[in-house]
Amino acid sequence: MQRIKNYINGEFCTPSSDKWLDNYNPAKGEVYSQLPNSQKEDVEKAVMAAKKAFPAWSATSLEERSQWMHKIADAIENKLVLLAEAESKDNGKPLSLALAVDIPRAMSNFRFYANALTQFASEAHESVGKNTINFTLRKPLGVVGCISPWNLPLYLFSWKIAPALAAGNCVVAKPSEVTPMTSYLLSEICKEIDFPEGVLNIVHGLGANCGQAIVEHPQIKAISFTGGTKTGEHIARTAAPMFKKLSLELGGKNPNLIFADCNYDKMLKTTVKSSFANQGQICLCGSRIFVEEKIYDQFKDDFVKAVKKLKVGDPSDAKSDLGALVSKEHLEKVQGYIEGAKDQEATILCGGKPVKVDGHENGYYLEPTIIEVKSNHCKLNQEEIFGPVVTMMPFKSEEQALEFANDVRYGLSSTIWTSNIDRAMRLSNSIEAGIVWVNTWLNRDLRTPFGGSKDSGVGREGGFEALKFFTEPKNICISYEAY
Ligand code: TXE
């Protein structure tokens, strides 16, 4: 059986404890590889390698650093099929999705920051009358930690690593223990292109020891984390006494507000996607659907009909719209929410049951599920389920739609469907969320800030925001003698 290795100081290494974890293919429910169960000692080795590499890496010219980033992007592009197959096997997502979104996006993350780093300028402020000039340099932080989740493995891993490296930092990164394969393949890419040793170190293992060791390490100056809100809270508490910089992208319970005056066909098609893409395991999925009363019944009929047509199946089959959920534990967690629907006076409109896929009988498949709820205060509407489950209920007025949207602890993203530009602007301004989409969903421009408010986290990724996060501003003030 294949054993994935850590990548430290440009070398592949086994974990110091020689302990290994099983890695599952969720589509089949079987172990197909193993990964290191890394401990503090392995993280220590990675941090030391990164620290040693930092002076040279941070001193590379922008052109040279940019070329390295392009080389990684080129290699990802050349290995599109290999990486997409690995992602689909590791995560259970449809291969078609990994081919069209996950891997191309990982490539563009490197490509984008290869270019962005050459445009990231210092600021200068002349204080007229005082004869001083201030300029603000952006210095890399040193060694930074990147911890990523399992839902979009290489996509989110590269979303952190690319800006961290572009800004001149050396990185100790840990992918999710549930989906380590594509980050391992990325370390193979680094080896193949002779990427400078120690600049990127990838350590595999569990959150509680390997991840924790990264967060606790005093030499790691910043942590960029994407994952659950509970883990984010724990990381914030651990890192606070060391005054580490934190970027935390946590959960979401995103409202999808549908008004009667919207472009109905476009809305319906997009809502099916925004509810169930990647088996609903995207923090940006619109998991709470609120529909204006006068079109509620029509929407309910049409939405249920459209969702019943979705095919759950083998992720490698191009006809599958949904693949498997990421793990048995996660499937059980999601099923727990569905079972709880009865106690919340909620009605399952479609789905709700596990699916047996021919030849993959032990895989973790679940029907796309729509639940009609009576109140926005029920557990189904307040907790992040993170699976192929959406809730829906009607609203009477714009005010009520806004109240429903904001009455939740999360504030990641939101979607508004309306042709009324005034309403779109009013709601966009008032919705408590880091991202608002109007008449579209998951339309991302890499230059824009990405992240949430409330319990969805702190900080922003993307564009120059990420380069700002991974650098320390240093202001220099010069006084000069005037004529
Ligand atoms: O995430 P965790 P889990 C949500 C979703 C899901 C829930 C739990 O609701 O059901 O979170 O998922 C590492 N110190 N999201 O348990 O544990 C861990 O090893 C340092 C939303 O899988 O937060 C992994 O690499 N690191 C989300 C990463 O944190 C630690 C995407 C995420 O794992 C750690 C995924 C620790 N103490 C889940 N404990 C989104 N925002 O997109 C764990 N980790």
Side-chain angles (χ1 to χ4, degrees), residues 147-152 156 174-178 205-215 225-232 234-235 238 249-252 281-284 330 333 384-386 410 412:
I147 301 176
S148 58
W150 46 258
N151 55 333
L152 303 159
L156 293 179
K174 191 195 92 63
S176 169
E177 59 272 34
V178 190
L206 297 171
N209 39 36
C210 178
Q212 181 79 12
I214 293 176
V215 177
F225 167 82
T226 300
T229 295
K230 221 166 148 202
T231 315
H234 176 77
I235 289 177
T238 312
E249 202 268 277
L250 311 175
Q281 302 166 142
I282 305 180
C283 52
L284 303 169
H330 191 58
K333 178 185 150 186
E384 186 180 44
I385 302 175
F386 215 62
Y410 296 103
L412 188 54

Side-chain angles (χ1 to χ4, degrees), residues 46-197:
V47 174
M48 289 309 125
K51 213 180 148 196
K52 198 168 116 226
F54 178 66
W57 179 249
S58 56
T60 48
S61 69
L62 296 188
E63 291 73 18
E64 191 187 338
R65 217 183 292 156
S66 173
Q67 276 167 14
W68 278 118
M69 310 285 295
H70 276 302
K71 276 190 193 168
I72 298 180
D74 292 343
I76 294 177
E77 202 168 7
N78 292 336
K79 290 179 190 253
L80 168 70
V81 175
L82 174 89
L83 288 164
E85 283 174 353
E87 201 71 296
S88 169
K89 190 169 178 182
D90 226 17
N91 171 277
K93 67 177 66 213
L95 175 60
S96 55
L97 188 69
L99 279 168
V101 179
D102 290 74
I103 309 306
R105 179 55 195 277
M107 182 275 293
S108 8
N109 288 340
F110 280 100
R111 193 79 78 209
F112 176 84
Y113 281 104
N115 295 322
L117 76 92
T118 66
Q119 306 296 320
F120 187 50
S122 300
E123 290 165 36
H125 306 278
E126 186 184 8
S127 306
V128 179
K130 285 190 181 170
N131 300 332
T132 57
I133 182 149
N134 283 271
F135 51 93
T136 312
L137 302 177
R138 288 268 165 187
K139 297 286 191 189
L141 302 173
V143 182
V144 299
C146 298
I147 301 176
S148 58
W150 46 258
N151 55 333
L152 303 159
L154 191 62
Y155 179 150
L156 293 179
F157 196 62
S158 56
W159 186 227
K160 299 179 180 307
I161 287 169
L165 295 174
N169 300 285
C170 292
V171 174
V172 175
K174 191 195 92 63
S176 169
E177 59 272 34
V178 190
T179 52
M181 191 52 89
T182 45
S183 53
Y184 171 68
L185 294 173
L186 180 68
S187 54
E188 285 196 343
I189 285 176
C190 290
K191 190 80 185 156
E192 277 164 30
I193 64 168
D194 269 332
F195 193 65
E197 59 191 38

Side-chain angles (χ1 to χ4, degrees), residues 388-453:
V389 180
V390 283
T391 66
M392 58 180 287
M393 64 181 281
F395 65 81
K396 290 183 195 313
S397 61
E398 186 182 314
E399 291 70 28
Q400 194 179 41
L402 179 64
E403 186 193 314
F404 288 161
N406 286 344
D407 195 3
V408 72
R409 66 191 278 232
Y410 296 103
L412 188 54
S413 74
S414 55
T415 307
I416 305 162
W417 291 97
T418 181
S419 58
N420 179 334
I421 188 75
D422 298 320
R423 169 186 286 147
M425 263 324 288
R426 278 195 300 271
L427 287 170
S428 300
N429 273 323
S430 311
I431 283 181
E432 295 161 355
I435 300 158
V436 181
W437 280 296
V438 178
N439 299 328
T440 183
W441 176 73
L442 207 63
N443 213 324
R444 292 273 304 129
D445 180 320
L446 297 191
R447 291 169 298 181
T448 60
F450 176 88
S453 57

